[in-house]
Amino acid sequence: MDEPRTPFRLPLIAILRGVMPVEVAEHCEVLVEEGFDAIEIPTNSPDWTRSVAIAASGFGDRARIGAGTVLEAAHVDALLAAGGTLVVTPNVRPAVIRRAVGLGLQVVAGFATTSEAFDALEAGAPMLKLFPAAVYGPAMVRALRSVLPPVPLFAVGGITPETLPVYLAAGCQGVGIGGELYRPGQSAEHTRTQARRFREAWMEHTA
């Protein structure tokens, strides 16, 4: 079976949950400098469409900027209007997936069960996200890989630099990183430090 390939140079999706528009540029800047090219701003962040617009305007030529916690078609339309190109969902909503795929956006669809994973694929999702991964663990990833087609699989939820290699070894092509990377109010330099830790863990595993 061919190894699934992601559209990202570094398949670590940075999740800036709670980021403010006034600070989003500085955090995106350090992430891009550290090699990240997939950045997600969840829809439950303050004025998220403004943050997406700022990030896409400043960094859209170097990274895919998108929204996470995308729950409805209106979120997809708002993301597109803001210049975003990446849609990340926490669950399987076929209408949302179809809408995003139909608009030419990259989609990472969240799921928690094998049935949901196949429902997401049937709706057209090109990439999958096991969420919350820390609840299910790498054993779930290995089991999924025995039945899933060769599509990129991300682990999201509770991933640390120490557990990242374990999920990759189990069959994930990448991960999404939230609280271990960014928490509201932290400095951009702290974001840089954490981003570097994850990038180094990735590089050590893939060397």
Side-chain angles (χ1 to χ4, degrees):
M1 181 181 296
D2 293 336
E3 175 71 13
R5 298 180 62 85
T6 80
F8 315 120
R9 294 185 301 275
L10 181 68
L12 308 179
I13 301 174
I15 304 169
L16 299 179
R17 188 178 304 279
V19 72
M20 302 283 287
V22 70
E23 62 183 348
V24 69
E26 60 181 343
H27 289 279
C28 286
E29 182 172 9
V30 299
L31 287 168
V32 170
E33 287 175 353
E34 291 300 321
F36 281 66
D37 63 323
I39 301 173
E40 161 195 339
I41 299 165
T43 63
N44 54 5
S45 302
D47 200 0
W48 69 273
T49 55
R50 177 63 179 152
S51 288
V52 168
I54 292 169
S57 175
F59 306 95
D61 60 336
R62 289 172 284 171
R64 290 187 182 273
I65 307 296
T69 317
V70 174
L71 298 171
E72 54 193 61
H75 286 158
V76 176
D77 295 341
L79 170 70
L80 186 64
T85 59
L86 174 66
V87 169
V88 184
T89 75
N91 62 349
V92 179
R93 295 196 176 178
V96 173
I97 294 170
R98 292 190 187 102
R99 177 70 174 167
V101 171
L103 290 170
L105 302 173
Q106 287 288 349
V107 178
V108 183
F111 73 96
T113 68
T114 307
S115 293
E116 291 174 354
F118 279 100
D119 286 346
L121 293 173
E122 185 178 8
M127 293 177 279
L128 296 174
K129 157 190 162 180
L130 176 62
F131 178 79
V135 173
Y136 299 101
M140 176 72 162
V141 175
R142 287 190 291 271
L144 287 164
R145 269 292 165 223
S146 69
V147 294
L148 288 177
V151 297
L153 176 60
F154 289 76
V156 183
I159 306 300
T160 69
E162 293 73 30
T163 60
L164 167 60
V166 179
Y167 283 95
L168 296 176
C172 285
Q173 280 62 57
V175 301
I177 314 161
E180 288 289 328
L181 173 70
Y182 172 83
R183 293 183 186 276
Q186 77 181 31
S187 69
E189 281 309 303
H190 187 62
T191 299
R192 183 192 299 277
T193 297
Q194 295 303 97
R196 187 168 295 172
R197 290 181 64 212
F198 277 99
R199 177 171 56 82
E200 289 174 349
W202 164 266
M203 292 176 66
E204 288 174 8
H205 178 80
T206 57

